[in-house]
Amino acid sequence: MTMPMPMPMTGLDVVTLGKQLNASDISDTAIALLDEQGTVAAWTHTAERLVGFCAGDVVGRSAALVLPSFKGATTTSAFVERCRAENGWSGATAVRHRDGRVLDASVRLTTLHGQNGTARWLASVTDAVPQSGDAIDRSVRGPLLARAPIGVGIRDRQLRSTYVNDVAESHDGLPRDRRLGRRFTEVLPGANAETIEAVMRQVLQNGATRIHEYRTWLPTSQGPEHQFAVSFQCLQGADGRALGVCTIGADVTASRLTRERLAVLRQASTRLGSTLDVTQAGQELADLAVPLLADHVAVDLEQSISFGEGPPVRIGATGKRLPGLRRAGLASIHQGVPESPWVRGEPVFVPPVSPFTDVLRTGKSLLEPVLDTASGTWIDKMPELAHSVREHGAHSIMIVPIRALHSLLGVALFVRTKDPVPFHEVDLLLAEELVGRAARSLNNARQYARKHTAALTLQRHLLPRRLTGGTAVEAASRYLPADLDHGVGGDWFDVIPLSGARVALVVGDVIGHGLHAAATMGRLRTAVHTLAAMELPPDELLAHLDDTVQRLGEEDADTPDQTPAVVGATCLYAVYDPATRRCTMARAGHPPPAIIDPQGWVTYLDLPPGAPLGVGLGDPPESVELELAEGSVLALYTDGLIETRDHDIEEGMRRLGSVLAQPGRSLEDLCDIATQSLPDQAPCDDVTLLLVRTRSLGPARVASWTLPGDRSAVSSARTLATRQLTEWGLQGLQDATKLIVSELVTNAVRHGTGQIELRLVRHQVLTCEVSDTGPCTPRPRRARTMDENGRGLFLVTNLSRRWGSRPIPGGKVVWAEQNLPHTSGLRSAAA
């Protein structure tokens, strides 16, 4: 084996190589004392534990017994001369164990000076540590350890100094000539010196290794006190008796600070990923860095990130226009963060000529250990820094870009004011690592914000912007999206106008959260509108909607043979007729509606639950019809309003019922009270509430007649309709209404049997309804020139704003609507 090439040494020696410096490192280091020819002069118990050789095996013999590489040198004396010329040697080499094993170890030879120009070598050996772990750990430890001064000394049995290295003087201010030949208490009297000598006597007596830690001020520094750790090891001769004590003292202040910083970095991996709110993530970054790394930290994010809007800003593509920044995080050692003229959420001004501009354009960090505060510099254009410089003595800054891949998320500013030590490269390394970990969290939050914003925007565009209850109901609603941990859900609600002044009331909830749930909700809402236009009864409508949900699940499957995804939903559908005050409703797995009578009595309707849509299990929906008193309130809601993590549905229903039992309140007030009475914790699901107060159409607005099922009914219908319009003051609609009534009654006589019902309803429009027992739905057809029939529905289409039909038990109703005279869009009867 060849001897490793020697490495240049200085007086600033370190005990360990590649390990974080602390007291245990000093105590675990194997120590041996060598003379100038490389012969072992003294041995320690730590050395025996490492290699297995006792003092009698090695003292008086060449170090090559333990260090096989010594044999690879040209001569031992030549190696010693090289070490003397370079003041020591360090490196990784092989160490022979007594049992024959070869160990990888880190070895250092440190020069010790004695009286009359004599010298010795202190060999310190530790297990080699593989270069693993975080890159930040390796890169931070190296520079910090290189600056850690290690004082080494040898004392005899009378505790007199016999050998010492050059560094010891920097620890206590004692020059070598004053230290050698004297005890510690003779040159530095005091309680601390007496304590140290007492420890050394114990080491000589029992041979154990002892660690003593103390704090003191360096003789060359007027700054804060430093923390030292001193290791005392007993040096043994060939007979195993104590020859003296080896003392190794290390300034562990920087090491302790480094350990604290690395510990914070490890915490940052969990703390910075605990939120999906970009502003909160920016604040966490600032809180982690103060006061550990800086006295003041400001985190500014590209302003579109907070709202999840806009494409990411590419590094190097900012051109002449810099991205807008918004303050997201602030932290300071001073209460209230007086250094910052901008509070969180405010836009931040960046001058076009400043280091900030360079950082934003290049994506590279900037370190200014000593801030140039001369007048006329770029600092004058930054009110924030100028204020800190004047009022708080900012003297050193770091500007670190927050980036994710090639995207620029923002910038972080680190400032030192009270701490007199300027920032250096290691601080910048720590700041970049901290910001890098925060950038991953911010990037995740940005992507989530974009998806959340897209889903919320989609959902709000799909939900009704205003509710039109017409003359049937007064309506109010509330929608609260779920918290950020769960995202937007698939809740929806509707009040859909139907023919004859009736309205359909809908509340539904798609299973799941996010963009897919919101998109599915939009498709189901459209389907409900389409089915409602067909005037289907509630149970039939939900049955068709169930088929739609199952079909959507099949369409979402990636391959034809893949099992369809579950796209379940719940829904409640009700139809209210103000002319009869009858309400028909059905539900599919949805919570039951609450009915509040005019006196404030709350009842949850015992409505058959039905199976959720799309699951293909359970009973089909079943309709229930009931009569509601005028002024009754009908509450339709989703389970997010009554169910929380800590409370069951029954308790939520009782809470909702107590809120709604206030007959004197407006619907808007009831909506506010119901949603504000939710538990303080964020809801785990969307909260939707739809409240409607029923109205009725009295006899003055509804007229109905029963006609015979023969041709005489046509003329009677025209006469009755004309008389009623005159009574209502709608003579302008008489001609068109007579034609519509004639055609509808004629079709009822021709295609039905039994009696015919004619009803006129005056609400927001004039509705003509003709009921018969015919099962066939009328369909318009194009009549040819010579045809005598087929033009009736064509006339109805042109005379009315819209027309249609709906099934009823035992037949159907065909209806047509006309605008009232004060409304626009009335078609001319002459057409």
Side-chain angles (χ1 to χ4, degrees):
M1 179 182 296
T2 60
M3 174 63 70
M5 291 297 293
M7 296 174 59
M9 287 290 296
T10 66
L12 302 180
D13 186 25
V14 292
V15 175
T16 58
L17 178 66
K19 288 183 63 179
Q20 182 178 320
L21 181 63
N22 51 42
S24 62
D25 293 332
I26 302 175
S27 62
D28 294 338
T29 301
I31 300 297
L33 189 64
L34 311 180
D35 62 17
E36 292 183 280
Q37 286 71 42
T39 302
V40 179
W43 198 245
T44 60
H45 283 299
T46 54
E48 182 177 351
R49 286 198 301 268
L50 179 63
V51 297
F53 290 102
C54 65
D57 297 329
V58 295
V59 174
R61 303 177 65 179
S62 171
L65 175 66
V66 179
L67 299 172
S69 55
F70 267 54
K71 294 181 180 180
T74 306
T75 63
T76 301
S77 60
F79 175 70
V80 172
E81 290 298 327
R82 183 182 296 178
C83 291
R84 182 182 293 111
E86 300 182 8
N87 198 29
W89 176 88
S90 67
T93 185
V95 175
R96 180 185 292 118
H97 195 274
R98 183 176 184 179
D99 60 11
R101 290 181 293 132
V102 176
L103 308 176
D104 293 329
S106 299
V107 179
R108 282 184 176 269
L109 297 179
T110 305
T111 305
L112 304 179
H113 304 282
Q115 292 176 318
N116 302 322
T118 59
R120 289 290 184 269
W121 300 95
L122 185 76
S124 58
V125 184
T126 58
D127 289 332
V129 180
Q131 293 294 317
S132 60
D134 290 345
I136 184 65
D137 294 345
R138 299 195 298 271
S139 55
V140 168
R141 290 169 183 166
L144 288 178
L145 293 177
R147 297 194 301 273
I150 304 298
V152 180
I154 304 295
R155 294 184 178 270
D156 60 16
R157 290 184 58 84
Q158 286 72 41
L159 305 183
R160 295 188 297 262
S161 177
T162 56
Y163 295 95
V164 68
N165 73 339
D166 295 331
V167 180
E169 181 178 350
S170 65
H171 285 188
D172 50 27
L174 291 175
R176 186 194 310 167
D177 56 355
R178 185 182 173 190
R179 184 193 306 269
L180 291 173
R182 295 180 176 88
R183 290 171 50 185
F184 200 52
T185 53
E186 294 175 351
V187 293
L188 285 176
N192 195 31
E194 293 175 358
T195 302
I196 291 176
E197 286 198 351
V199 174
M200 288 191 286
R201 291 190 190 96
Q202 294 178 3
V203 171
L204 286 173
Q205 182 178 357
N206 54 34
T209 300
R210 295 292 299 273
I211 296 293
H212 177 66
E213 296 193 31
Y214 64 95
R215 294 178 182 271
T216 187
W217 281 268
L218 295 179
T220 58
S221 174
Q222 299 299 322
E225 62 180 1
H226 284 235
Q227 181 174 349
F228 287 87
V230 183
S231 167
F232 303 93
Q233 295 198 36
C234 181
L235 295 172
Q236 299 173 312
D239 57 359
R241 299 179 61 184
L243 297 179
V245 178
C246 174
T247 65
I248 301 177
D251 185 346
V252 296
T253 306
S255 176
R256 175 177 54 83
L257 181 59
T258 302
R259 291 198 302 272
E260 292 176 357
R261 291 176 174 178
L262 293 175
V264 170
L265 286 180
R266 284 187 285 270
Q267 294 177 9
S269 298
T270 56
R271 289 185 59 184
L272 290 176
S274 62
T275 179
L276 287 175
D277 182 276
V278 290
T279 303
Q280 183 61 31
Q283 183 60 43
E284 288 181 350
L285 171 58
D287 291 337
L288 281 170
V290 174
L292 176 78
L293 189 58
D295 299 327
H296 167 60
V297 172
V299 179
D300 301 327
L301 299 180
E302 199 274 317
Q303 59 184 0
S304 67
I305 293 176
S306 301
F307 307 101
E309 300 173 350
V313 176
R314 298 295 178 183
I315 296 176
T318 56
K320 296 182 179 180
R321 184 177 181 180
L322 293 173
L325 297 178
R326 191 175 294 273
R327 183 129 299 174
L330 273 176
S332 171
I333 59 173
H334 302 105
Q335 187 175 5
V337 197
E339 301 94 331
S340 176
W342 297 293
V343 299
R344 294 179 63 196
E346 288 187 342
V348 176
F349 168 73
V350 178
V353 179
S354 72
F356 286 85
T357 305
D358 298 334
V359 171
L360 291 173
R361 284 179 174 160
T362 63
K364 296 180 180 179
S365 302
L366 173 73
L367 168 64
E368 284 202 18
V370 179
L371 195 60
D372 184 5
T373 58
S375 177
T377 62
W378 62 269
I379 296 178
D380 294 335
K381 300 178 182 179
M382 292 288 293
E384 179 181 32
L385 279 180
H387 176 75
S388 293
V389 170
R390 291 191 303 267
E391 302 295 331
H392 304 284
H395 60 86
S396 186
I397 67 168
M398 295 185 296
I399 307 173
V400 181
I402 307 173
R403 51 186 297 176
L405 296 178
H406 301 293
S407 300
L408 180 66
L409 305 182
V411 65
L413 171 66
F414 301 83
V415 183
R416 276 189 177 166
T417 55
K418 184 178 180 181
D419 189 346
V421 180
F423 288 122
H424 46 72
E425 289 79 4
V426 173
D427 296 312
L428 181 61
L429 206 61
L430 282 165
E432 287 179 334
E433 179 68 16
L434 187 63
V435 170
R437 299 190 183 196
R440 290 190 286 271
S441 174
L442 283 166
N443 191 45
N444 291 336
R446 177 180 66 89
Q447 293 179 1
Y448 176 82
R450 295 189 65 181
K451 293 181 180 179
H452 182 266
T453 301
L456 191 59
T457 302
L458 174 63
Q459 186 176 42
R460 286 179 174 171
H461 277 79
L462 293 175
L463 291 176
R465 297 187 179 183
R466 62 186 182 90
L467 300 176
T468 55
T471 55
V473 295
E474 173 194 359
S477 65
R478 290 294 183 274
Y479 166 69
L480 302 178
D483 60 4
L484 291 179
D485 292 334
H486 295 83
V488 177
D491 286 14
W492 87 92
F493 58 93
D494 255 320
V495 177
I496 305 173
L498 301 177
S499 63
R502 299 171 308 127
V503 291
L505 311 174
V506 190
V507 168
D509 184 4
V510 176
I511 296 174
H513 299 85
L515 192 60
H516 181 266
T520 302
M521 175 272 290
R523 299 166 79 178
L524 293 185
R525 180 171 180 251
T526 301
V528 170
H529 271 263
T530 302
L531 294 172
M534 299 172 62
E535 307 269 6
L536 296 176
D539 54 349
E540 292 186 26
L541 183 141
L542 292 179
H544 285 286
L545 192 62
D546 179 63
D547 295 336
T548 301
V549 175
Q550 294 189 44
R551 187 169 60 255
L552 291 178
E554 295 172 356
E555 293 176 356
D556 290 340
D558 294 334
T559 58
D561 56 347
Q562 180 180 349
T563 302
V566 177
V567 189
T570 65
C571 185
L572 189 149
Y573 185 83
V575 175
Y576 174 70
D577 187 347
T580 62
R581 292 187 286 107
R582 306 291 295 179
C583 183
T584 306
M585 62 184 71
R587 61 173 174 150
H590 204 80
I595 300 175
I596 305 93
D597 67 14
Q599 288 72 41
W601 184 260
V602 180
T603 304
Y604 285 96
L605 185 62
D606 186 15
L607 188 64
L613 304 172
V615 301
L617 300 173
D619 298 328
E622 181 180 346
S623 291
V624 170
E625 186 178 65
L626 69 159
E627 183 175 329
L628 298 177
E630 182 177 4
S632 298
V633 175
L634 193 61
L636 283 66
Y637 52 89
T638 57
D639 55 5
L641 183 63
I642 60 173
E643 185 178 17
T644 64
R645 297 182 182 94
D646 302 326
H647 302 86
D648 57 19
I649 293 179
E650 286 75 14
E651 183 176 348
M653 293 173 67
R654 287 193 295 270
R655 174 183 52 79
L656 177 62
S658 63
V659 169
L660 297 178
Q662 303 181 57
R665 294 276 189 172
S666 67
L667 295 185
E668 294 291 338
D669 288 344
L670 290 178
C671 283
D672 289 336
I673 298 173
T675 52
Q676 292 171 3
S677 66
L678 290 169
D680 294 335
Q681 63 185 17
C684 58
D685 198 0
D686 287 8
V687 173
T688 300
L689 174 63
L690 174 63
L691 296 181
V692 297
R693 178 172 281 121
T694 62
R695 297 165 176 165
S696 64
L697 295 178
R701 309 187 75 175
V702 180
S704 59
W705 305 273
T706 301
L707 304 175
D710 54 34
R711 291 191 174 274
S712 63
V714 177
S715 60
S716 299
R718 286 198 300 264
T719 301
L720 294 172
T722 301
R723 185 183 306 159
Q724 187 62 51
L725 292 180
T726 301
E727 183 178 338
W728 284 342
L730 299 176
Q731 290 87 345
L733 298 180
Q734 288 179 351
D735 291 341
T737 303
K738 285 191 293 183
L739 287 174
I740 292 173
V741 168
S742 297
E743 297 300 331
L744 295 184
V745 173
T746 299
N747 285 339
V749 171
R750 181 176 299 170
H751 301 289
T753 59
Q755 292 181 331
I756 298 172
E757 296 289 335
L758 171 63
R759 187 171 78 160
L760 297 181
V761 182
R762 179 173 62 88
H763 49 111
Q764 292 177 318
V765 294
L766 176 65
T767 302
C768 302
E769 296 182 348
V770 176
S771 307
D772 61 60
T773 58
C776 299
T777 300
R779 297 180 181 274
R781 61 187 180 90
R782 184 175 296 276
R784 290 173 296 184
T785 305
M786 302 303 294
D787 290 344
E788 296 182 0
N789 299 311
R791 297 178 178 85
L793 293 181
F794 176 76
L795 287 175
V796 173
T797 301
N798 282 272
L799 292 173
S800 63
R801 62 192 298 269
R802 63 171 188 154
W803 71 274
S805 67
R806 64 176 182 267
I808 58 173
K812 66 179 182 297
V813 175
V814 183
W815 53 268
E817 293 179 352
Q818 300 176 78
N819 290 318
L820 296 177
H822 65 273
T823 61
S824 60
L826 180 63
R827 299 183 181 181
S828 173

